[in-house]
Amino acid sequence: DSAKPAALRRLIAPTAAPPSTGETAKKHWYEAVSIRGYMQVRYNRLLETNPDLKCEQCDKSWGDNGGIFFRRIRLIVYGQLHPRIYFYLQPDFASTPGGSTSGHFGQIRDAYFDIGLDANSQFRVRLGQSKIPYGFENMQSSQNRLALDRNDALNSAVVNERDLGAFLYWAPTKIRQRFASLVSDGLKGSGDYGVLALGAFNGQAANRAEQNNGLHVVARLSYPFLIGKQIIEPGLQAYTGRYALSTDQLSRGVKYCPTMNYVDQRAAASFVLYPQPLGFQAEYNVGRGPEFNAATDSIETRRLHGGYATVSYRARVGGQQFYPFVRGQHYEGGKKYERDARSYHVRELEIGLEWQPLKFLELVPMYTISSRRFEDYQTQGNRQRGRLLRLQAQLNF
Amino acid sequence: DSAKPAALRRLIAPTAAPPSTGETAKKHWYEAVSIRGYMQVRYNRLLETNPDLKCEQCDKSWGDNGGIFFRRIRLIVYGQLHPRIYFYLQPDFASTPGGSTSGHFGQIRDAYFDIGLDANSQFRVRLGQSKIPYGFENMQSSQNRLALDRNDALNSAVVNERDLGAFLYWAPTKIRQRFASLVSDGLKGSGDYGVLALGAFNGQAANRAEQNNGLHVVARLSYPFLIGKQIIEPGLQAYTGRYALSTDQLSRGVKYCPTMNYVDQRAAASFVLYPQPLGFQAEYNVGRGPEFNAATDSIETRRLHGGYATVSYRARVGGQQFYPFVRGQHYEGGKKYERDARSYHVRELEIGLEWQPLKFLELVPMYTISSRRFEDYQTQGNRQRGRLLRLQAQLNF
Amino acid sequence: DSAKPAALRRLIAPTAAPPSTGETAKKHWYEAVSIRGYMQVRYNRLLETNPDLKCEQCDKSWGDNGGIFFRRIRLIVYGQLHPRIYFYLQPDFASTPGGSTSGHFGQIRDAYFDIGLDANSQFRVRLGQSKIPYGFENMQSSQNRLALDRNDALNSAVVNERDLGAFLYWAPTKIRQRFASLVSDGLKGSGDYGVLALGAFNGQAANRAEQNNGLHVVARLSYPFLIGKQIIEPGLQAYTGRYALSTDQLSRGVKYCPTMNYVDQRAAASFVLYPQPLGFQAEYNVGRGPEFNAATDSIETRRLHGGYATVSYRARVGGQQFYPFVRGQHYEGGKKYERDARSYHVRELEIGLEWQPLKFLELVPMYTISSRRFEDYQTQGNRQRGRLLRLQAQLNF
């Protein structure tokens, strides 16, 4: 029997038979499908001046009672199955189900597939859960970002950066190659979300079921210009929709709109100069959305605005890479995903260094100077200032 | 050091040492173990006439407030490790833990291994969580089924089709080959659950712990006859056991049997004509089980019956495949897994087309005309009629 | 286009671009990363004399209403990425989130990476969630252990054996090779946790967030001596820290220390004679920790002590392996992870046989004779004695 394992496999286990038609027979599964991943371990308690300074969306281990912490444990299964078909499946194993006292469960971040509409997939439709094309830093992978967490101003638009929807991306082949090399050459690109992007999505954020009868819509335009040896990428993007608050995020006693549905609209401008060797990146957004108002004890539709600017430098020394960086950020507005659409006023300065002794390992010390007012019905008047040293070790496989 | 990676791997990381004896040394892990999977994205809101028409077991995104939805995200790890040993491990990443407000967590569907009792594994014992051999459509993979959801009548026997148990399967080698080719040739077979199947299982359904001291038992007989070029497969199956209601599925105020244990018995007949090119498939089952009775406000042991018939056609046009189909179904009885063992009366007609432009991609539009009464203690008298267009895109990898 | 799949892959899917610098280009992903795993199916209800005899930490399917049960479903992704960099990622798919009525979700057991400080990684730093170097049987994989569950005495120190932290391991190359061969040669070794181990970790156990501002620290010394053809391994280990009870583990009415923080300190001695063919293994630990006291209705810091001894024999018959074994164990003390830091008095004798007909399959019948007092605020005076036959089938892939 052992002389004909393929025949036996088919014979003994037909329940698991792979897709049928001819093409796969030529390719082994491990040539069509690849696996990679990364994990991030953090510690935020050194040189901490204020244990009440916290940041729910950044990293739950800031401040009092925080310890050693997994920010992300990612396992990625992906493949270009056909010139027109690509898929990407990424669970995160640092996730906690609502109501559970233990964490580190596997939950989907990305699960999507691309269908090329032309032979070169210059036009692609993407179906499933994937990043919303809103904000350069939102789309840039955490594996590549310099600052440990995304900026509050644009990241408050889409928690976990993703949602379930259908998206159309367009970019000419030459620009698709440029998007690809901006990542593979270590320039910290965003990946290819097209020159032009259009999409419709549920609007309740990743891994949350739709809660109303209207989809959000988003559009984005971004182009990486080659100017001499430098590459700059300006971009514009906007989305609109209605966000439905859920009862489990409301404090007892807070007032809110009876439909629990709120306008959710934003527009942003982005500018990137890729680090050859000096990099600069800035984004700003304005919009409207639900926000807790302490003056009225109620959740109201209010204006929001904010952004950030990062200056970085890329140095290569004997096969190792060093990226010192400084980021300043500012945000005033609500965070619709948090309790009572918590109201925020954030000013923060971060000074850090990403060191890659090997491509498999990245070490980041980052010093954060922060002022954060974050108020909901239960924490009115809560404003915290402080400084802390943050440490991260990242393993890439 | 880099000159001898295998020795180093053993040296540096012995914690992870693989099984010991000689055989594995000859085979790479990726030759013994394979990975494949599929995902299904849906949208059910077009041409919808009644937003109160829902179907909990089918697809939670029907009707009011429904949106774009993942029905399944499957990752399968499997392998024929030895002529007598096969394993299959399949988490679904579209699952939600009880009590969690966010979903898309990875939860086991299948986790089993087969032990061949003879050299050709004509007799096999299967241990672990796997499909219960009850109902052809239940055993047929969702990757292959034409209609978007399984029929209510037979699927209400075993939610998620699976349970934890021990099963004995027997089939002669020639028939095992036929079961295999019915899947691999695109004929939408069920996979190999034997000509004869016998099993014992907990009876509380997949991923639920046993709740009483008696196992369910099941038996099945099914044979694929070759008649000229056509293949037909008639089958008979039955199971019996006691199902224990759990307190978390009871409405406050509903009356129920003090032991919370109910008789759970069914028998079914199946008939399949595989589509070469015209296909026909029908199943019917009768039985007894817990069901909410609005007349007495109580959960009682009641009779149930129902089935379905599907007519399909297989057309291949230039490497693409088209399967138009029509399915009518009927069910009267309880659903033991739902609140108060919800009472159902279902009549439904579905007209659809499965289009496979590539083996990696399947697109299904399906028009559903439905009448559903579904009553529990909180929804007495709830009867909904309506029509809707359902859409699915499926990616196979 | 199909003539250049690699270029296309880069072109079409840059979002998923792998790490950048040159080295990976030479190695396929499946050569750098490997996948293996195992699963354990159990049944504990045969010859049972007392359905009220249970063991929460061992196996939740003991006793009344227990059925067929998955104790572990493990999928391991690991690799020696570089002579100095190793990673190990192991979710368990037999886990249940707190509050969920269904189980078999994927939750991390191990997620760590090793960074070699010297060229041969004689000194290694391990970051992430991994086994705490406390107790030989704790570190030995369940895939290799003879008795179905770990002993109460040492395993009550670290539920699931793991925590999030940073560890330093040292061992000379020759001893690292010996640790490796103790596993790969079927001698049931612990894997390589160094001759000397030092570590700091959160102290709330695997997958639980830190709950206070102090880390636990641990140290261990263990050395496998070669004496003629026999190998013995004596070891010493100790840890100290403060454990924070969480409100969800307290009964209403139980009294406890206002800070909810308790001293948590232990020291243990280990001795192993590896089975060539006769094996002997014994461990004992003493310490202090939280424990429910029925006399005062309160959770107090109390002394604890206990250990076990196992005698085993290894027989190889025609490519098959047989390991008969006997284990006696004893424990008096609290279990800090259980409700009200439940108080235990355990005496247990187990007689079993591990049979490996193939390296892929292990079958264990084990007869258990047990006396267990386990008391919390709700179960005062609860003492259970009984006997049962336990069965396990394990699949290794």
Side-chain angles (χ1 to χ4, degrees), chain A residues 31-52:
Chain A
E31 294 167 323
V33 173
S34 297
I35 295 178
R36 62 180 198 93
Y38 65 99
M39 47 179 131
Q40 298 175 338
V41 181
R42 295 189 177 176
Y43 190 67
N44 294 315
R45 305 300 305 278
L46 297 178
L47 310 184
E48 172 195 278
T49 63
N50 178 0
D52 293 326

Side-chain angles (χ1 to χ4, degrees), chain C residues 132-154:
Chain C
I132 301 303
Y134 182 79
F136 179 90
E137 200 185 74
N138 283 345
M139 274 170 290
Q140 184 188 39
S141 169
S142 288
Q143 198 176 8
N144 297 323
R145 191 184 55 254
L146 290 173
L148 290 189
D149 294 303
R150 291 188 173 83
N151 70 94
D152 291 64
L154 279 91

Side-chain angles (χ1 to χ4, degrees), chain A residues 27 29-31 33-36 39 41 45 64-70 73 75 78 80 83 86 88 93 97 99-106 112 119-121 124 126 173 176-177 179-181 183-184 186 191-193 321 358-361 393 395-397, chain C residues 1-2 8-24 29-30 33 35 77 81-82 85 87-89 91 93 95-99 105-108 111-113 115 127-129 164-166 200-202 207-208 210-213 215 248:
Chain A
K27 230 182 188 181
W29 76 267
Y30 46 88
E31 294 167 323
V33 173
S34 297
I35 295 178
R36 62 180 198 93
M39 47 179 131
V41 181
R45 305 300 305 278
D64 199 34
N65 289 340
I68 302 168
F69 183 73
F70 268 123
I73 304 173
L75 187 67
Y78 67 102
Q80 189 76 42
Y86 175 77
Y88 193 83
F93 280 91
S100 175
T101 48
S102 77
H104 298 162
F105 285 91
Y112 64 78
N120 295 315
S121 292
R124 285 172 294 154
R126 175 168 293 183
T173 298
R176 302 200 68 200
Q177 290 167 326
F179 280 132
S181 63
V183 174
S184 60
D192 179 358
Y193 289 86
Q321 309 221 27
L358 295 162
K359 67 179 170 172
F360 306 108
L361 185 65
L395 183 281
N396 303 314
F397 66 89
Chain C
D1 283 320
S2 59
L8 251 169
R9 196 168 306 133
R10 179 169 162 189
L11 166 59
I12 297 180
T15 320
S20 51
T21 47
E23 209 168 327
T24 28
W29 76 267
Y30 47 88
V33 173
I35 295 179
V77 183
L81 300 172
H82 177 275
I85 307 284
F87 83 100
Y88 193 83
L89 186 54
F93 280 92
S95 299
T96 304
F105 285 90
Q107 184 184 39
I108 286 294
Y112 64 78
F113 46 100
I115 306 171
L127 297 176
Q129 183 164 297
L164 235 168
F201 57 101
N202 287 336
N207 304 317
R208 300 265 171 175
E210 176 60 304
Q211 299 293 334
N212 60 32
N213 292 316
L215 296 175
D248 65 283

Side-chain angles (χ1 to χ4, degrees), chain A residues 1-2 8-25 29-30 33 35 77 81-82 85 87-89 91 93 95-98 105-108 111-113 115 127-129 164-166 200-202 207-208 210-213 215 248, chain B residues 29-31 33-36 39 41 45 64-70 73 75 78 80 83 86 88 93 97 99-106 112 119-121 124 126 173 176-177 179-181 183-186 191-193 321 358-361 393 395-397:
Chain A
D1 286 318
S2 59
L8 251 170
R9 194 168 308 132
R10 182 171 160 186
L11 166 60
I12 297 179
T15 320
S20 52
T21 48
E23 209 169 327
T24 27
W29 76 267
Y30 46 88
V33 173
I35 295 178
V77 183
L81 300 171
H82 176 276
I85 308 283
F87 83 99
Y88 193 83
L89 187 53
F93 280 91
S95 299
T96 303
F105 285 91
Q107 185 184 39
I108 287 294
Y112 64 78
F113 46 100
I115 306 170
L127 297 177
Q129 182 165 299
L164 235 168
F201 57 102
N202 287 337
N207 304 318
R208 301 263 170 175
E210 175 61 304
Q211 299 293 333
N212 59 32
N213 291 316
L215 295 175
D248 65 282
Chain B
W29 75 268
Y30 46 87
E31 294 167 323
V33 174
S34 297
I35 295 178
R36 61 181 198 93
M39 49 179 128
V41 182
R45 306 300 306 278
D64 199 34
N65 288 340
I68 301 168
F69 182 73
F70 266 123
I73 304 173
L75 187 67
Y78 67 102
Q80 188 76 42
Y86 175 76
Y88 193 83
F93 280 91
S100 175
T101 49
S102 76
H104 297 162
F105 285 90
Y112 64 78
N120 294 315
S121 292
R124 287 171 292 154
R126 175 168 293 181
T173 299
R176 302 200 68 200
Q177 289 167 326
F179 280 133
S181 63
V183 174
S184 60
D185 294 350
D192 180 356
Y193 289 86
Q321 310 221 27
L358 296 163
K359 68 179 169 172
F360 307 109
L361 184 65
L395 183 280
N396 303 313
F397 65 89

Side-chain angles (χ1 to χ4, degrees), chain A residues 196-258:
Chain A
L196 184 68
L198 291 170
F201 57 102
N202 287 337
Q204 296 298 116
N207 304 318
R208 301 263 170 175
E210 175 61 304
Q211 299 293 333
N212 59 32
N213 291 316
L215 295 175
H216 276 54
V217 292
V218 64
R220 181 172 181 256
L221 183 66
S222 194
Y223 196 95
F225 293 98
L226 186 63
I227 299 180
K229 288 188 173 174
Q230 297 292 331
I231 300 173
I232 61 164
E233 183 176 342
L236 289 172
Q237 51 254 297
Y239 75 82
T240 184
R242 283 177 308 122
Y243 181 78
L245 294 179
S246 58
T247 48
D248 65 282
Q249 72 180 107
L250 299 177
S251 297
R252 175 187 288 263
V254 71
K255 296 171 202 150
Y256 50 88
C257 155

